[in-house]
Amino acid sequence: MIIYLQMIEGDEDKSKFEQLYTIYKGLMFHVAINILKNESDAEDAVHQAFLSLIENLGKISDVKCPKTRAYIVIITEWKAIDTIRSRSKMADMEFEESTFGIEIPLPGDHSLADAMAQLPATYREILLLRYYNGYSVREISSMLHMKKDTVQKQLWRAKTALQKYMEGDE
């Protein structure tokens, strides 16, 4: 943690990061290990997620709120998926994005939550960052290291898939 703290300026930000680290490091590792199934890869993904958190520390207002937890889980998932992508490029294997992400138990009442749970993890996470956490497309593209146009296209596809599911077409 000392290395991370050296990257942060300001005592208030250092204190906020220490709280984030203490509260969420176990959750972040759990998320990464569920996706990667390898302890050292999971540690690397968590490290990358912490670096991303440091870059976006100003966007976190309350350390212990559900939005912060969701944001941290999403960032960790993306870093784990990035690890798989980099490995799959080296191994020249296909990557199925819809198979990764945290499993969400289906509520079963055909509500919006049920529909969201049916979406691929990528769509679900971008929708949550945009509409639950309130980040702009530009901020999401910066956080996930994606082009702005890609984020917009993913949002459009996610909303279309969600609409189809809600209308009963799927």
Side-chain angles (χ1 to χ4, degrees), residues 32-90:
I33 197 81
N34 278 342
I35 294 171
L36 296 167
K37 309 290 189 233
N38 179 308
E39 196 170 313
S40 64
D41 287 344
E43 289 172 358
D44 290 342
V46 170
H47 170 71
Q48 293 299 320
F50 275 125
L51 293 177
S52 184
L53 284 174
I54 289 171
E55 291 175 10
N56 298 292
L57 203 53
K59 296 176 182 172
I60 299 173
S61 58
D62 185 9
V63 174
K64 293 185 179 181
C65 79
K67 285 186 178 184
T68 301
R69 183 183 189 281
Y71 171 68
I72 288 172
V73 167
I74 290 168
I75 293 300
T76 305
E77 284 182 341
W78 276 91
K79 295 305 176 183
I81 290 169
D82 286 347
T83 300
I84 291 171
R85 283 187 182 134
S86 68
R87 297 272 154 69
S88 68
K89 286 179 184 174
M90 290 188 299

Side-chain angles (χ1 to χ4, degrees), residues 2-162:
I2 294 172
I3 294 172
Y4 297 128
L5 292 175
Q6 291 177 345
M7 299 172 68
I8 302 170
E9 294 182 18
D11 292 336
E12 187 177 317
D13 285 344
K14 285 182 181 183
S15 174
K16 184 190 299 185
F17 183 80
E18 285 179 24
Q19 290 175 7
L20 288 169
Y21 185 87
T22 304
I23 294 169
Y24 296 110
K25 68 181 177 184
L27 172 66
M28 293 169 73
F29 184 77
H30 177 74
V31 168
I33 197 81
N34 278 342
I35 294 171
L36 296 167
K37 309 290 189 233
N38 179 308
E39 196 170 313
S40 64
D41 287 344
E43 289 172 358
D44 290 342
V46 170
H47 170 71
Q48 293 299 320
F50 275 125
L51 293 177
S52 184
L53 284 174
I54 289 171
E55 291 175 10
N56 298 292
L57 203 53
K59 296 176 182 172
I60 299 173
S61 58
D62 185 9
V63 174
K64 293 185 179 181
C65 79
K67 285 186 178 184
T68 301
R69 183 183 189 281
Y71 171 68
I72 288 172
V73 167
I74 290 168
I75 293 300
T76 305
E77 284 182 341
W78 276 91
K79 295 305 176 183
I81 290 169
D82 286 347
T83 300
I84 291 171
R85 283 187 182 134
S86 68
R87 297 272 154 69
S88 68
K89 286 179 184 174
M90 290 188 299
D92 200 33
M93 298 174 5
E94 274 191 43
F95 175 68
E96 180 71 33
E97 286 192 35
S98 62
T99 60
F100 297 99
I102 293 177
E103 294 180 22
I104 297 176
L106 298 177
D109 62 356
H110 302 296
S111 65
L112 180 60
D114 193 14
M116 289 285 291
Q118 297 298 319
L119 293 176
T122 306
Y123 292 169
R124 184 174 57 246
E125 291 164 353
I126 287 180
L127 282 172
L128 287 171
L129 284 172
R130 177 71 176 107
Y131 298 108
Y132 181 72
N133 293 92
Y135 292 112
S136 69
V137 171
R138 184 171 306 222
E139 290 171 322
I140 295 169
S141 67
S142 171
M143 284 185 265
L144 301 179
H145 304 289
M146 297 170 71
K147 292 181 181 177
K148 183 181 168 198
D149 293 339
T150 304
V151 172
Q152 287 175 325
K153 187 70 168 180
Q154 293 287 334
L155 271 171
W156 179 81
R157 288 178 180 165
K159 289 188 281 187
T160 302
L162 190 61

